[in-house]
Amino acid sequence: MRRIAVLTSGGDSPGMNPAIRAVTRTALHSGCEVYGVFRGYAGLIQNDMRRLEYKDVGGIIQRGGTMLLTARSPEFMTPSGREKALENLRWHGIDGLVVIGGDGSLRGATKLEEEHDFPTICLPGTIDNDIYGTDMTIGADTALNTVLEAIDKIKDTASSHQRAFIIETMGRRSGYLALMGGLAGGAEAILIPEIPDTTIEEVVEVIRRSFRKGKTNCVIVVAEGAPLNAQAIQDHINAMVGEDTTFNLNFRTRATILGHIQRGGSPSAFDRTLATRLGCAAVEMLLCNKHGGLVGMQSRKITLTPYAEVLAHPKVLDAKLYELSKILDRY
Ligand code: ADP
Ligand code: F6P
């Protein structure tokens, strides 16, 4: 393999830049040329790519986002879109592609392998930590720290006003950020899509119990994919205040939707080192003609898991951690 390309796709995540840096410099070190593709699969279709040299990826290791930009490309979902992408790869004489992105991006890479026998290899880049074949995705740790910082800050004001706060995290269908953020932040309740059985009545009871026990605040963390969202919980509780005399809460609840701040920021030390190690390994594997899978870190070992296996298995959250959070907040 003499020439490879790298792109970032889907939702950006902190750590994509260190991954691009590691891919580029490892390839150059091995005597291989590197092309950076801008705006993910959309740029591949529009032939928006250029050669990357050593210095092009300098000064980015500490920067959030992605210097290659990212996009969601509906055209790449069609066979004709992928055909165009492939023509451009071939026109540049590119023999292999490194894709950094989430599970959707991995599906796209799978199609290039399956339909066109084109060598691709994926790095897990998403804050959602929802990809099988790696213990952690690149960006999840930084996002988790952002969530935790937000919880800590909200607790300060919640305590001062003796209020209950509902905090909504991102994660699409994954409850990872909510579960781990809630656990580390000492939330009174955590609602996640993987355990969808918490009712609004139970949430109300958690809040009542907290204040009955003399707590000065109550924080409920909700994942965006959970059946009850933060706004719905806030509206329900605020409608009760003043109307239900058994509900002796003289405060109103506030919902905070953390949103896209979770995707930004300088990557944590964990994400930088994970991205660096996985980026380097992806190139080494590609150059040894190993491809068609996700490069991940499992039990501290770098692994290559075939796409079919990654796509066949949902990432499973540790249910024990959920139980633990309930035990710790039940005093
Ligand atoms: P993420 O990679 O963060 O999960 P998306 O799910 O939006 O983000 O996927 C990113 C891009 O990957 C999509 O815009 C599309 O171009 C491509 N993609 C996703 N799913 C498929 C698929 N089944 N077939 C081909 N391409 C896909
Ligand atoms: O996959 C990353 C993610 O941030 C999810 O957590 C969230 O559901 C989604 O992307 C939001 O996407 P957008 O930025 O397109 O609104």
Side-chain angles (χ1 to χ4, degrees):
M1 227 171 254
R2 287 186 47 251
R3 195 172 288 163
I4 65 164
V6 56
L7 62 80
T8 48
S9 164
D12 64 330
S13 70
M16 282 184 161
N17 275 329
I20 296 166
R21 174 180 177 271
V23 166
T24 304
R25 291 189 173 173
T26 306
L28 292 173
H29 179 74
S30 311
C32 186
E33 288 177 8
V34 185
Y35 274 69
V37 182
F38 294 91
R39 293 176 299 107
Y41 293 126
L44 209 50
I45 292 171
Q46 288 157 21
N47 204 9
D48 189 5
M49 58 180 97
R50 72 168 173 87
R51 279 271 298 275
L52 294 178
E53 299 298 348
Y54 210 84
K55 64 174 174 8
D56 291 320
V57 293
I60 63 166
I61 197 166
Q62 76 281 17
R63 282 179 26 210
T66 159
M67 66 160 271
L68 290 177
L69 314 181
T70 186
R72 294 197 164 100
S73 167
E75 200 181 346
F76 194 78
M77 311 276 276
T78 66
S80 63
R82 294 193 289 275
E83 196 71 55
K84 272 193 227 165
L86 204 81
E87 269 172 33
N88 292 329
L89 285 167
R90 294 216 165 111
W91 189 80
H92 285 283
I94 291 163
D95 326 290
L97 174 67
V98 180
V99 171
I100 308 168
D103 64 333
S105 305
L106 184 136
R107 281 173 209 279
T110 306
K111 291 271 169 65
L112 283 182
E113 285 265 351
E114 278 174 1
E115 293 173 355
H116 303 281
D117 214 12
F118 189 84
T120 66
I121 198 158
C122 279
L123 297 183
T126 168
I127 62 166
D128 301 340
N129 203 26
D130 60 349
I131 304 183
Y132 179 87
T134 189
D135 296 338
M136 288 291 283
T137 56
I138 298 166
D141 180 69
T142 307
L144 177 57
N145 281 293
T146 302
V147 168
L148 190 57
E149 196 184 334
I151 293 175
D152 288 348
K153 286 181 174 165
I154 284 171
K155 276 200 161 190
D156 289 345
T157 178
S159 300
S160 306
H161 286 265
Q162 301 102 63
R163 269 179 183 155
F165 268 82
I166 320 297
I167 300 174
E168 188 173 299
T169 63
M170 272 190 170
R172 207 176 288 192
R173 288 171 298 275
S174 158
Y176 176 81
L177 289 175
L179 176 59
M180 301 309 281
L183 190 66
E188 273 64 32
I190 301 170
L191 278 66
I192 52 176
E194 292 85 347
I195 305 177
D197 48 7
T198 310
T199 62
I200 188 74
E201 289 74 26
E202 284 167 332
V203 175
V204 170
E205 187 45 36
V206 167
I207 299 174
R208 282 185 205 270
R209 198 176 61 217
S210 298
F211 287 95
R212 259 200 319 265
K213 291 189 170 170
K215 288 192 180 186
T216 55
N217 67 69
C218 176
V219 167
I220 315 279
V221 181
V222 188
E224 67 173 336
L228 291 169
N229 66 33
Q231 188 67 46
I233 298 172
Q234 174 192 270
D235 294 347
H236 182 93
I237 290 169
N238 286 350
M240 290 176 75
V241 174
E243 284 175 15
D244 180 348
T245 49
T246 64
F247 194 68
N248 58 351
L249 304 177
N250 60 354
F251 56 87
R252 288 188 177 272
T253 303
R254 297 283 192 263
T256 300
I257 296 164
L258 298 181
H260 291 78
I261 61 163
Q262 293 161 96
R263 288 227 299 252
S266 179
S268 64
F270 180 90
D271 278 329
R272 292 186 204 190
T273 49
L274 180 68
T276 300
R277 294 185 64 191
L278 297 188
C280 174
V283 172
E284 284 171 354
M285 288 179 193
L286 203 49
L287 297 186
C288 293
N289 215 23
K290 286 189 204 157
H291 50 86
L294 175 91
V295 183
M297 180 85 72
Q298 299 184 85
S299 304
R300 298 190 186 182
K301 290 208 169 55
I302 293 176
T303 53
L304 178 66
T305 310
Y307 290 146
E309 195 181 332
V310 175
L311 294 174
H313 295 88
K315 174 122 172 180
V316 179
L317 268 192
D318 188 346
K320 280 193 193 139
L321 292 178
Y322 180 76
E323 291 309 317
L324 177 61
S325 76
K326 287 180 110 170
I327 292 166
L328 296 181
D329 294 315
R330 205 172 278 148
Y331 74 88

